[in-house]
Amino acid sequence: MLIYVNIIDMSGSHDEPLGYLLHRVASALRAEVTTTALEPVGLSFPQYICMRILSKFPDRSNAELARDTGVSPQAMNMVLRALEERELVARPASVAAGRSLPAKLTRTGRDLLERTDDGVRSAEQRLMAPLSAEQRREFRRILAALG
């Protein structure tokens, strides 16, 4: 089942707040990625984002990951526990100092994340199909500059 949301032709949306427009784009992309790339491999979108962050920044704590994703530490702990149960993420049982347990992707986690890449890229392409190649490049450049 493919989900198509027309985010590009937002008639009269030139004066809409940027946050609203970004939310619409993010919601459309999230739905498409979840349905076509993540559900088939048993991942939720929050799990995918957590794994993507850990692939770039290993050893993040639960609190850091929660801040990175804008969810509560309790919600992130549930995400991490589910990933640990599938042996996609590993955390030590204890640490020498403090209480934060650094999380890392396991080999299985890295492999699964890599297997999602083609599906995620395909979902992105479908979402951005109404744009020209130049517009897609410029859109990515602008997002990278702002983010």
Side-chain angles (χ1 to χ4, degrees), residues 78-95:
M78 291 175 59
V79 168
L80 284 168
R81 284 185 182 193
L83 292 171
E84 282 181 299
E85 287 174 10
R86 291 185 59 189
E87 299 182 353
L88 300 173
V89 167
R91 294 188 287 180
S94 63
V95 290

Side-chain angles (χ1 to χ4, degrees), residues 17-111:
L18 179 60
Y20 172 71
L21 297 174
L22 288 172
H23 171 74
R24 285 187 60 181
V25 172
S27 294
L29 182 60
R30 178 181 181 148
E32 184 72 15
V33 165
T34 299
T35 301
T36 62
L38 303 180
E39 285 177 354
V41 297
L43 285 178
S44 69
F45 195 78
Q47 290 170 337
Y48 168 75
I49 295 299
C50 178
M51 291 174 66
R52 181 59 62 197
I53 291 169
L54 288 174
S55 75
K56 305 283 185 203
F57 306 101
D59 297 320
R60 302 289 283 170
S61 70
N62 180 68
E64 290 168 324
L65 287 164
R67 280 190 297 276
D68 292 341
T69 57
V71 301
S72 70
Q74 295 83 357
M76 182 51 63
N77 195 45
M78 291 175 59
V79 168
L80 284 168
R81 284 185 182 193
L83 292 171
E84 282 181 299
E85 287 174 10
R86 291 185 59 189
E87 299 182 353
L88 300 173
V89 167
R91 294 188 287 180
S94 63
V95 290
R99 295 185 317 160
S100 65
L101 304 174
K104 290 185 183 187
L105 284 180
T106 62
R107 162 76 64 196
T108 304
R110 285 190 301 275
D111 291 346

